[in-house]
Amino acid sequence: MDRDKYMTKISKKDFNCDYFINLINHDRNARNTVIYKMLFNFDTIVYYHCYYVVASASNKRPTLYYVIAEIKLIKRKYLNN
């Protein structure tokens, strides 16, 4: 699924949070997309849902979220597209 489809689904009021928690804990590209949108998106509902998903997912698999330097790679990837 491309990043626009992720954001369309996550921006809905009744989005499936468990689906996204599972998705970002098993798919690096999805995780990068959700983290990027949490950091750089100005839509309040998208920010809030992304934050909630990342916070919940990181409680389940914290080692996936230790590497802060990866944010630079995510930022570079999306800003160059």
Side-chain angles (χ1 to χ4, degrees):
M1 183 180 307
D2 65 48
R3 63 183 178 210
D4 292 330
K5 289 183 182 176
Y6 290 137
M7 292 307 102
T8 299
K9 285 187 172 190
I10 210 166
S11 67
K12 297 193 183 299
K13 183 177 179 182
D14 59 345
F15 82 112
N16 186 344
C17 186
D18 292 332
Y19 167 79
F20 279 97
I21 291 169
N22 186 49
L23 178 68
I24 70 170
N25 277 343
H26 293 94
D27 182 340
R28 183 181 191 149
N29 289 330
R31 182 169 54 252
N32 290 347
T33 298
V34 172
I35 291 171
Y36 179 83
K37 292 297 184 176
M38 179 183 71
L39 295 172
F40 299 105
N41 191 295
F42 296 110
D43 183 352
T44 305
I45 195 81
V46 171
Y47 163 78
Y48 177 75
H49 285 172
C50 289
Y51 175 83
Y52 187 77
V53 167
V54 172
S56 298
S58 66
N59 283 331
K60 292 185 177 194
R61 294 188 61 196
T63 56
L64 293 174
Y65 301 88
Y66 286 153
V67 183
I68 300 301
E70 193 169 22
I71 292 173
K72 291 180 183 177
L73 297 174
I74 297 167
K75 186 176 177 183
R76 188 177 313 133
K77 176 182 176 183
Y78 286 97
L79 292 179
N80 289 334
N81 285 339

